[in-house]
Amino acid sequence: MFNFQKEISFLSKHHLIRTLVPIDSGQATTLKQNGKSFLHFSSNNYLGLAGHPTLKSTAIRAVEEWGVGGGASRLVSGNSRLYFELETKIAKFKNTASALVFPSGYAANIGAIGALVQKQDLIFADRLCHASLIDGARLSGATLRVYRHKDTEQLAKLLRQKKKKGQTLIITDGVFSMDGDIAPLAEILRLAEEFDALIYLDDAHATGVLGPNGRGTCDYFALSSPRIIQMGTLSKALGGLGGFIAADRVLIEYLINKARPFIYTTALPPVLLATALAGFELIESDPEIRNRLWRLTSRVRTQINQMGFNTCGSETPIIPILIGPTETALTFSQKLLEEGIYIPAIRPPTVPDGTSRLRISLMATHTDEQIQLLLNSLKHIGKKLRLI
Ligand SMILES: *Cc1c(COP(=O)(O)O)cnc(C)c1O
């Protein structure tokens, strides 16, 4: 017999049970729950575009014109012209010949990786890669080897040892989602060239955020190479929903024909394509939004480090506070909640055992006053719990 209750009891006992709580407001710097309002520091809506007036009015107009649903898969009749416009925009933004939009970042990862490599091939992945990348790797059937986080020396060693014939794919996040640090892309590219590998770069948290023009990790390192397949999402800095791959034309044509999570699913509602397009335009036309995000980032990170917390080498608007024991992380989060600050604890299996943490993410729309309230609470709760 199945015994689901036993597993749930086990999770509860180890403080690992997950529950869904209803949120009564849209994604903004404050969040309503159970009739109370909290300062919100756990959204991936980095640029505040999820509630930006331009995107809202774009959405209303798109709904009037296109209605609400995608209707059918893209290869049948769901491929609205907006897809063409958005994919042209993304390719230009990412400096590639072509791009392909998927229903989500998750679908892009399992779809693209699942199609790019097969059983006879080899995948090397950073240990802290996002779960969706690991799922894609598993789905592909290729042999998966994991290297220590950002450890390109170990990656080189593993590449040197490879005996298998097949293709080699190196998978990494650009900005790591739970640590907020940046992949050593220049070094990984050097290895990819030496060992004739392709790089699958998950820029979910970098797109719209990282680099002088917000174009992502390649922009940050001023790199461009046909060996780098760039993945991104429309659900974080872009404020909506959808994932994408930016690469050369042949690869995109291949994915259209081979990526099952692309083929066998309904097209996105046109309204989401229209808002993503408006989001990219805003990122290009209003760099001040991104600049403010980075000013807040450097202020918050510096002050949290000065308090004596460990921020896991964060370099971006994702700023973790490493706690360690899951129970303590939960207590910290609960105390913050009592002071009106919403930052859920991140626990295994999302992060490795023994590394439970608070994960702060900043938005360009946070006010200076909201930031100060956050810093004050972190400091005195941290002291009360004897963490600093
Ligand atoms: C959020 C995320 C994804 C999945 O993107 P969705 O659009 O939310 O499905 C993939 N990779 C990373 C690193 C992420 O943080």
Side-chain angles (χ1 to χ4, degrees):
M1 271 298 281
F2 293 108
N3 195 343
F4 301 124
Q5 189 54 51
K6 188 170 159 220
E7 180 63 18
I8 287 175
S9 304
F10 175 87
L11 291 174
S12 293
K13 192 170 147 224
H14 292 88
H15 310 286
L16 295 174
I17 194 81
R18 298 164 187 252
T19 51
L20 287 166
V21 285
I23 308 280
D24 301 309
S25 58
Q27 291 294 316
T29 58
T30 57
L31 171 154
K32 278 207 197 86
Q33 196 186 70
N34 290 330
K36 289 198 202 97
S37 182
F38 299 93
L39 292 184
H40 187 194
F41 288 100
S42 56
S43 176
N44 302 314
N45 176 26
Y46 300 112
L47 302 176
L49 298 196
H52 194 284
T54 305
L55 268 70
K56 289 206 281 193
S57 57
T58 301
I60 291 164
R61 268 183 279 119
V63 168
E64 294 291 353
E65 183 175 352
W66 297 88
V68 293
S73 74
R74 290 186 63 180
L75 289 163
V76 175
S77 68
N79 195 39
S80 80
R81 172 153 298 279
L82 294 173
Y83 266 116
F84 173 78
E85 289 175 22
L86 177 58
E87 285 166 350
T88 305
K89 185 79 186 173
I90 292 171
K92 219 165 140 209
F93 188 77
K94 289 288 184 181
N95 193 22
T96 57
S98 197
L100 187 67
V101 171
F102 285 69
S104 69
Y106 186 88
N109 280 344
I110 58 168
I113 298 170
L116 287 169
V117 283
Q118 276 96 49
K119 205 161 178 273
Q120 68 278 11
D121 300 324
L122 255 174
I123 292 175
F124 295 91
D126 187 291
R127 187 165 98 92
L128 296 189
C129 268
H130 192 257
S132 57
L133 296 166
I134 301 302
D135 292 355
R138 287 191 184 137
L139 192 66
S140 74
T143 304
L144 172 63
R145 312 277 319 257
V146 174
Y147 60 91
R148 283 188 296 270
H149 181 49
K150 295 190 3 178
D151 188 342
T152 47
E153 275 176 33
Q154 193 194 18
L155 173 60
K157 217 159 116 192
L158 292 172
L159 283 163
R160 235 170 266 126
Q161 287 168 357
K162 81 177 158 122
K163 290 195 193 71
K164 261 190 148 182
K165 289 239 159 28
Q167 317 280 352
T168 304
L169 186 67
I170 303 169
I171 299 183
T172 184
D173 290 22
V175 170
F176 288 89
S177 56
M178 295 300 140
D179 288 50
D181 52 356
I182 300 171
L185 188 62
E187 184 57 18
I188 294 173
L189 179 57
R190 208 190 54 67
L191 292 173
E193 281 164 356
E194 184 179 342
F195 293 96
D196 190 24
L198 287 181
I199 299 169
Y200 188 91
L201 176 68
D202 180 332
D203 253 354
H205 296 278
T207 300
V209 172
L210 200 60
N213 306 295
R215 297 173 202 272
T217 311
C218 289
D219 189 23
Y220 178 79
F221 287 106
L223 286 175
S224 154
S225 165
R227 290 189 182 274
I228 304 176
I229 300 163
Q230 301 180 68
M231 171 272 176
T233 173
L234 308 173
S235 62
K236 289 174 177 152
L238 272 299
L241 180 70
F244 64 82
I245 302 290
D248 64 54
R249 271 181 217 292
V250 181
L251 191 136
I252 295 301
E253 195 177 354
Y254 176 82
L255 292 179
I256 292 171
N257 287 277
K258 294 285 185 184
R260 295 169 63 90
F262 171 84
I263 301 169
Y264 298 106
T265 193
T266 298
L268 281 169
V271 54
L272 291 172
L273 307 172
T275 50
L277 197 55
F280 280 111
E281 278 162 9
L282 209 55
I283 286 168
E284 287 174 335
S285 68
D286 194 352
E288 178 48 25
I289 304 178
R290 184 170 62 258
N291 293 341
R292 172 163 174 86
L293 175 67
W294 283 100
R295 284 198 300 275
L296 294 182
T297 296
S298 105
R299 180 170 147 212
V300 170
R301 187 182 55 233
T302 306
Q303 297 221 20
I304 292 180
N305 280 330
Q306 275 171 3
M307 289 176 202
F309 287 114
N310 176 351
T311 54
C312 300
S314 163
E315 303 167 77
T316 66
I318 300 170
I319 307 176
I321 294 184
L322 185 68
I323 306 290
T326 300
E327 216 178 332
T328 317
L330 289 170
T331 307
F332 201 150
S333 170
Q334 182 57 36
K335 295 240 177 281
L336 284 165
L337 202 64
E338 286 161 15
E339 299 200 1
I341 296 176
Y342 191 88
I343 311 176
I346 309 282
R347 301 167 282 170
T350 305
V351 291
D353 281 335
T355 71
S356 286
R357 64 196 66 185
L358 298 181
R359 174 180 177 273
I360 298 163
S361 44
L362 298 173
M363 290 180 252
T365 41
H366 279 124
T367 65
D368 293 351
E369 196 196 349
Q370 291 172 324
I371 296 287
Q372 199 51 52
L373 288 168
L374 167 73
L375 293 170
N376 295 348
S377 289
L378 288 175
K379 191 166 183 175
H380 85 252
I381 297 172
K383 280 190 175 155
K384 203 146 78 188
L385 296 178
R386 297 178 184 278
L387 296 168
I388 49 173

